C-alpha cells in the first residue's frame, strides 16, 4: 500500500477532518502484522538515515501535531526515536519561555532545525502558533492570520538548504481520546500527565478541527506536505508514519560520499603498522 | 559483579594504563551472556531514565573519550542511545569552528549540558582540550596545564544544579585498534571513516597515554569519576558501561513527582465527558 498517496494532503484538496476515518487499519490483517511491518521498515529507515548522516548534504525535519493523547510520544519512542541518536534529535515545544516570547514565534524553532546529515523531530511546533494560539485567542486574528504565509516562506528557506519536511497530524476520535484519558487515570505512573486543561480542550474540539483544517489548507505544500494519519490504532499510526518516512528517505536517495583519502596510502600505512607490530 | 568498583578511578589511585588489561571479559561465560546482560540492563536504564525525565530535578552527563576505533559510536548505538530519545541527546565535539574558537574552550560544552530531567552524551568533550590539544601542541603548556582545575570547577558547577557526571575512557590495545582499521579498509561502507591522521596518532600512543593518565589523575573526583573500560571486547565494553550507568541511576533514585492536579476533579471531568458521549 502507498501510505503517502493515501494520507497526503494535496494542495487544494484539504479533507474535512470530520469525514476522515480515525480507525483505519489499512492492509494489515492484524496488529502483529502491522508491528512486523513497522519493525522491518524501521530497520530500513535506520540504514538510509546512516547514509544521509555520512553524506552530510540533506536533512530531514519531521513535525508532529496532534490532540492530547493522540500518541506523539509513542510514535517517537517506537518509530522516529529508533533512528541512530547521533543523527537524530527530538525537540519538544511547550509554552514559550519569557525569552522565547520576547522574539518572533519562529526564533526558537529555527534553532532546532536539522543541520546537514541530521534529522529533527518536533514534538509540537511552530504550528501551535496558529492552533492553540488561535483557538485560545492568545493573539488577535490580525496577527495569527498572517502566520500561514510566514510559515510557508520559512519552510521554503529550510528546503533551499536541502531540508526535506514532513508534517504529520495524528487524527483520533474524541471517543478514543477519552478512553486513553481513562487509562491515565487508572495508572498512577501516568498521573503526571493528567491535566484539567485537556478536558477544557475537548469542549473546543470543533474549533481545533477548524484550526487544523486551515493549517492543512494553507500549509500543505508540494514539497512540505501535511499527512493526516488515522491514529485510533497505535499500530496503524506507527506503520503508516514509518512507511512515509521510509519512502521519503528512498526518494532523497542519500549517497555515501566519495572517499577523499588516498586508499593506497592508507593501505601502505596499515602494512607499515602491521610490520612494526610483528616486530 | 560490581563494575563500578572494578573500573572506577579513585582519587589518588590512578592506574598506569599500560598495566590495565584491555581484553577483560568479566563474569561472562561468553559473548551471548554479555549481550543478554546488556539487553536486560538497558531495559532497566530506560525505566529509570523515564522516572528522571518525569521527575525533572536531576540530570545525567555521560562523557566518552577514547582512541580512534575504540567504539564510542557502537556504545552509543547499542547502550546510551537506547534511552528514550525525548530525554537524551548526543553531542559530538569535533574540531572547533571559528566561532567556537573565538570563545573559551568550555563555551560550546556548556550549551550542551543536560537540563533537569535530561541525559547528555558527549562523543568527545572538553577533555580534548587537555588531550589532543596537549599532544599536538596546539596551545602552550602554560595554557593547557591550567585547564584541569578549570574543568573540575566547571563540573562542580554542573553538579550543584543536580547533574550527575560519568566519564568513560574506552581502553583498547594498539593491536585491536589496528585490526579494526583493517576492517574499515575492507568495508567500502566504512571508507568515509578512513583518515591518514589516525595512523599518525598511533606514533604518539605513549604521549596520548600519558595525557590520559594526567586527566584521570587530576579530574577523576568523588562525584564526577572517570572509569577505565576495557574495550577490546565490544560486548564487555557495552555490558560494563550499561551496568555503571544503571547503578548510577539507581543511586540517583529518581521519583515520580507528586501529582499536582486534583484527582477527584479529573475523575469528575472524565465522568461528565463519558455521560455526554453516551448522549
Amino acid at each position: 500500500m502507498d501510505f503517502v498517496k493515501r494520507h497526503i494532503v494535496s494542495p487544494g484538496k484539504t479533507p474535512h477532518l470530520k469525514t476522515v476515518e480515525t480507525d483505519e487499519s489499512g492492509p494489515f490483517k492484524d496488529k502483529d502484522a502491522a508491528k512486523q511491518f513497522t519493525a522491518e521498515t524501521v530497520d530500513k529507515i535506520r540504514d538510509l538515515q546512516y547514509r544521509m548522516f555520512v553524506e552530510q548534504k540533506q536533512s530531514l525535519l519531521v513535525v508532529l501535531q496532534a490532540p492530547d493523547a493522540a500518541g506523539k510520544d509513542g510514535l517517537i519512542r517506537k518509530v522516529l526515536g529508533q533512528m541512530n541518536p547521533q543523527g537524530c534529535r527530538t525537540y519538544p515545544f511547550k509554552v514559550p519561555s519569557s525569552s522565547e516570547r520576547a522574539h518572533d514565534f519562529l526564533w526558537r524553532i529555527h534553532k532546532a532545525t536539522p543541520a546537514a546529515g541530521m534529522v529533527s523531530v518536533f514534538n509540537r511546533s511552530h504550528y501551535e502558533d496558529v492552533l492553540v494560539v488561535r483557538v485560545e485567542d492568545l493573539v488577535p486574528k490580525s496577527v495569527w492570520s498572517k502566520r500561514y504565509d510566514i510559515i510557508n516562506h520559512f519552510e521554503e528557506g529550510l528546503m533551499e538548504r536541502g531540508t526535506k519536511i514532513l508534517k504529520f497530524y495524528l487524527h483520533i476520535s474524541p471517543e478514543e481520546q477519552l478512553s486513553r484519558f481513562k487509562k491515565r487515570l487508572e495508572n498512577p505512573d501516568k498521573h503526571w500527565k493528567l491535566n484539567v486543561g485537556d478536558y477544557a480542550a475537548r469542549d473546543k474540539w470543533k474549533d481545533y478541527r477548524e484550526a487544523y483544517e486551515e493549517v492543512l489548507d494553507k500549509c500543505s505544500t508540494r514539497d512540505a506536505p501535511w499527512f493526516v494519519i488515522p491514529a485510533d490504532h497505535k499500530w496503524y499510526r506507527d506503520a503508516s508514519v514509518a512507511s512515509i518516512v521510509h519512502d521519503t528517505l528512498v526518494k532523497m536517495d542519500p549517497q555515501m560520499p566519495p572517499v577523499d583519502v588516498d586508499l593506497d596510502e592508507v593501505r601502505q600505512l596499515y602494512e607499515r603498522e602491521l610490520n612494526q607490530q610483528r616486530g
Side-chain angles (χ1 to χ4, degrees), chain A residues 11 28 40 58 68 83 86 98 109 115 126 142 151 167 170 173-174 177 257:
Chain A
F28 305 111
E40 286 164 12
Q58 309 173 80
D68 196 43
M83 290 192 252
Q86 298 212 63
S98 56
I109 305 291
H126 42 307
S142 59
I151 288 174
K167 299 174 288 198
L170 307 185
S173 65
Q177 186 190 53

Side-chain angles (χ1 to χ4, degrees), chain A residues 97-196:
Chain A
S97 69
S98 56
S99 97
E100 287 170 345
R101 241 191 313 258
H103 291 85
D104 72 283
F105 75 102
L106 292 172
W107 180 75
R108 62 175 186 162
I109 305 291
H110 214 153
K111 292 196 287 184
T113 55
M118 299 288 291
V119 182
S120 288
V121 176
F122 286 181
N123 184 344
R124 305 188 186 278
S125 68
H126 42 307
Y127 286 97
E128 289 295 345
D129 294 285
V130 285
L131 290 165
V132 65
V133 164
R134 164 183 170 160
V135 174
E136 305 298 338
D137 227 354
L138 302 182
V139 304
K141 179 170 183 179
S142 59
V143 173
W144 61 252
S145 62
K146 288 189 190 121
R147 289 184 173 167
Y148 303 100
D149 280 345
I150 295 173
I151 288 174
N152 286 340
H153 293 141
F154 169 68
E155 293 183 357
E156 278 165 23
L158 302 181
M159 291 188 280
E160 187 264 345
R161 176 61 181 86
T163 302
K164 177 70 196 165
I165 305 174
L166 297 175
K167 299 174 288 198
F168 296 101
Y169 167 63
L170 307 185
H171 184 43
I172 59 167
S173 65
E175 293 77 16
E176 176 63 19
Q177 186 190 53
L178 194 61
S179 113
R180 293 184 189 181
F181 282 177
K182 186 174 181 220
K183 282 180 191 139
R184 284 186 185 173
L185 263 168
E186 287 166 350
N187 179 356
D189 268 6
K190 299 274 180 193
H191 280 179
W192 66 278
K193 286 195 168 190
L194 293 177
N195 188 343
V196 173

